[in-house]
């Protein structure tokens, strides 16, 4: 079965290439690095979606979170880069909500809410107080981690909501302090 899927993807990629001369990206979530598809060699670049847990607590220093992000990049992403030699664009998304650094924004029942819950616009996130400082610190940590890794070819803040500057706990950076961090 797996071989047939790989063949279908390779055929689809070839068909796309016959009509499109641009760069082909594959969206690869960070947590799936150990199960990269065999046909990754047929694309041009990896769009690595990243929302990795960087700290056990919100008050962890930017330096400590940057060290954790650096370790995760080197241990998880670098081997994939060496294997396929593809461009890597890091696509980051962290909500501006308490608990984002620890990877758990708790719901009223104590369960951790998934990142998708914090995509904008979402009326359900109204019950959460925004934590702009935690979001800014997370992005600063990731930027510090990638600044010396020349094999990271790009950076994207996922979930940017262009219609309006939000002051909520969503992952959008539009109108939030983290937008200035990225601008600088």
């Amino acid at each position: 079965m797996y071989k047939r899927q790989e063949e279908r993807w390779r055929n689809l990629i070839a068909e796309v290439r016959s009509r499109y001369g641009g760069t082909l990206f594959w969206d690869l979530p960070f947590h799936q690095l150990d199960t990269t598809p065999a046909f990754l060699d047929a694309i041009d670049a990896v769009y690595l979606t990243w929302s990795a847990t960087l700290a056990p607590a919100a008050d962890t220093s930017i330096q400590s979170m940057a060290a954790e992000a650096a370790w995760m990049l080197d241990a998880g992403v670098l081997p994939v880069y060496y294997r396929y030699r593809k461009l890597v664009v890091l696509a980051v998304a962290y909500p501006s909500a308490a608990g984002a650094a620890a990877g758990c924004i708790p719901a009223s029942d104590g369960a951790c809410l998934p990142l998708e819950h914090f995509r904008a616009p979402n009326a359900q996130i109204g019950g959460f107080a925004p934590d702009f400082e935690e979001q800014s610190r997370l992005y600063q940590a990731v930027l510090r981690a990638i600044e010396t890794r020349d094999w990271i070819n790009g950076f994207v803040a996922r979930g940017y909501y262009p219609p309006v500057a939000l002051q909520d706990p969503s992952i959008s950076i539009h109108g939030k302090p983290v937008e200035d961090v990225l601008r600088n």
Side-chain angles (χ1 to χ4, degrees), residues 56-74:
D59 61 350
T60 303
S61 72
I62 293 171
Q63 182 177 354
S64 293
M65 290 191 296
E68 180 68 12
W71 179 85
M72 295 169 94
L73 289 167
D74 292 345

Side-chain angles (χ1 to χ4, degrees), residues 6-81:
E6 179 184 347
E7 184 179 329
R8 286 183 189 163
W9 274 107
R10 287 188 184 280
N11 290 338
L12 178 60
I13 292 166
E15 178 69 20
V16 169
R17 287 199 185 284
S18 74
R19 299 170 189 217
Y20 174 72
T23 304
L24 294 182
F25 282 82
W26 182 260
D27 184 341
L28 183 62
F30 174 74
H31 66 276
Q32 292 181 0
L33 286 172
D34 57 345
T35 58
T36 57
F39 56 83
L40 202 59
D41 62 343
I43 56 93
D44 303 312
V46 172
Y47 182 82
L48 184 70
T49 54
W50 174 284
S51 300
T53 300
L54 297 182
D59 61 350
T60 303
S61 72
I62 293 171
Q63 182 177 354
S64 293
M65 290 191 296
E68 180 68 12
W71 179 85
M72 295 169 94
L73 289 167
D74 292 345
V77 184
L78 189 57
V80 173
Y81 170 77

